[in-house]
Amino acid sequence: MIWELRKENYDLAIQVGEGSVTSWLFTHLCGAKKNLGQRGRLQNTYDWLVDGKTNHAYELPSAIAHSLGLSCESLPWMVVSEMEHARAEALLKVSSRGGVVGVFVGGHLDKRLPLDFWQAQIRELNMTGEGYVVMVGPEEEHYRPYLEQCCGSQGQILPLMPIREFAAVLTHIITLITPDTGPMHMATALGVPVIAILNARKSHKFCPQGIADKILFRPTPRDVTTVLSASPLIQFGWARTEHMLDRKLLLGDF
C-alpha cells in the first residue's frame, strides 16, 4: 500500500490523531511533500501543526482547515439523492410525510445497551402512538425476532441495509434514538435531530450538539420517551412538517 500511495505524489498528508503509530508511519512514508499533525510527543516530526486544542470530535476538521488557512463548519456532512430518498420511502409501511421516529439498536463494547433495554424502549414507543422504525446493525441481527415480538402496529423493524440505503431511510426520520454509533453521526450529517443514549462518559466528546439534539446518560426507556414527547418537532404538527420539508430541500440531485 505504501508504494501505491507514493505513486500518487501527494502534496499534503494529514495525521488526524496522535494515538496510532501505524497512521503516523503512513503519513511519513506515503511520499507527500508536506505533512500536518497534532501537538504531542511526535509534534517535531511534522511540517505543520494543527492550531489550538479540540474538545469535541466535530471540531477537528475545522481546526485542520484553519491550520491551512481554510474554513470548515464543525459538523459532518452527507447528501442523499432524491432517488435514494424515494426508494427508502417505499420501504416504510407507515406514512413518513411528517417523519417517523427512528431507533437504532447497535454499538460497540461499553457503548452497547442490552436487549432488554431496547425491548422496553419499543414497548414505550407503542404507548405514544408515534409511527416508528427500528434499525439494527449486523452484530445485532440476532436481536430481530425478540424486537419483532415487542413491535406494535405503528412500528416496523427494517431489514439490514447497505449504508447508502440506511442513510436514505434517515432522511424520513423526525428524531433518531441511538447510542454513540456511526448512525448517530450519519443522522447529524443529514440534519436529523438525535436523542443520544450514552452508556460511557467518554461518549460526550462525540455527541451532536445541535439545538434539537438531546444527550441522556444511562436513562430508562421511559426517560427517553418523555424527552421525545416533549420535543417541539413532535408536539406541533406545523413544526414537524416544516422541519421535514426543510430536510427534503437539502437532498442532492444526482
Side-chain angles (χ1 to χ4, degrees):
M1 182 182 291
I2 291 292
W3 296 118
E4 292 300 317
L5 290 172
R6 293 180 73 87
K7 291 178 185 177
E8 299 297 327
N9 196 29
Y10 292 110
D11 291 318
L12 176 66
I14 300 173
Q15 161 70 316
V16 297
E18 286 295 320
S20 171
V21 175
T22 302
S23 61
W24 177 86
L25 285 171
F26 272 83
T27 301
H28 286 78
L29 297 178
C30 69
K33 297 180 180 67
K34 297 286 184 179
N35 54 54
L36 180 147
Q38 296 190 62
R39 298 183 185 278
R41 59 191 176 90
L42 299 175
Q43 67 181 47
N44 293 330
T45 67
Y46 300 112
D47 296 302
W48 296 317
L49 294 173
V50 175
D51 290 336
K53 182 180 179 181
T54 58
N55 297 311
H56 190 279
Y58 291 170
E59 296 172 358
L60 181 56
S62 57
I64 291 173
H66 184 264
S67 303
L68 299 171
L70 306 171
S71 61
C72 173
E73 190 174 4
S74 297
L75 276 176
W77 181 68
M78 188 174 188
V79 174
V80 168
S81 73
E82 286 275 10
M83 185 177 295
E84 289 170 326
H85 176 80
R87 283 203 302 264
E89 187 174 27
L91 283 174
L92 307 180
K93 72 177 186 181
V94 292
S95 172
S96 64
R97 181 171 299 177
V100 296
V101 174
V103 179
F104 179 70
V105 178
H108 296 290
L109 303 175
D110 56 349
K111 300 176 184 179
R112 186 186 298 273
L113 295 163
L115 172 62
D116 59 2
F117 176 91
W118 296 113
Q119 290 175 304
Q121 187 64 73
I122 291 172
R123 293 189 186 102
E124 284 285 334
L125 286 173
N126 289 338
M127 293 188 285
T128 67
E130 283 287 336
Y132 64 88
V133 294
V134 179
M135 298 162 281
V136 298
E139 295 178 4
E140 293 75 36
E141 176 63 15
H142 61 288
Y143 286 176
R144 181 177 299 278
Y146 305 102
L147 298 173
E148 288 175 340
Q149 291 172 9
C150 307
C151 195
S153 59
Q154 78 272 25
Q156 181 182 2
I157 313 291
L158 295 179
L160 285 175
M161 296 169 283
I163 192 165
R164 293 290 312 178
E165 192 172 318
F166 186 101
V169 167
L170 291 179
T171 66
H172 296 276
I173 301 298
I174 189 70
T175 296
L176 180 67
I177 299 169
T178 176
D180 176 10
T181 61
M184 178 184 75
H185 301 300
M186 290 172 63
T188 300
L190 291 163
V192 180
V194 166
I195 297 178
I197 306 172
L198 307 189
N199 197 42
R201 295 194 182 279
K202 62 186 178 183
S203 290
H204 283 280
K205 186 177 180 179
F206 302 93
C207 285
Q209 301 175 310
I211 191 171
D213 299 318
K214 299 296 180 182
I215 313 302
L216 303 178
F217 185 71
R218 296 180 181 172
T220 66
R222 181 161 295 181
D223 292 337
V224 176
T225 305
T226 299
V227 169
L228 174 70
S229 299
S231 168
L233 295 180
I234 299 296
Q235 284 186 332
F236 305 113
W238 64 267
R240 184 174 193 143
T241 303
E242 183 175 313
H243 181 76
M244 295 308 293
L245 177 61
D246 290 345
R247 181 96 53 74
K248 196 170 189 299
L249 292 175
L250 295 175
L251 299 177
D253 185 18
F254 59 87

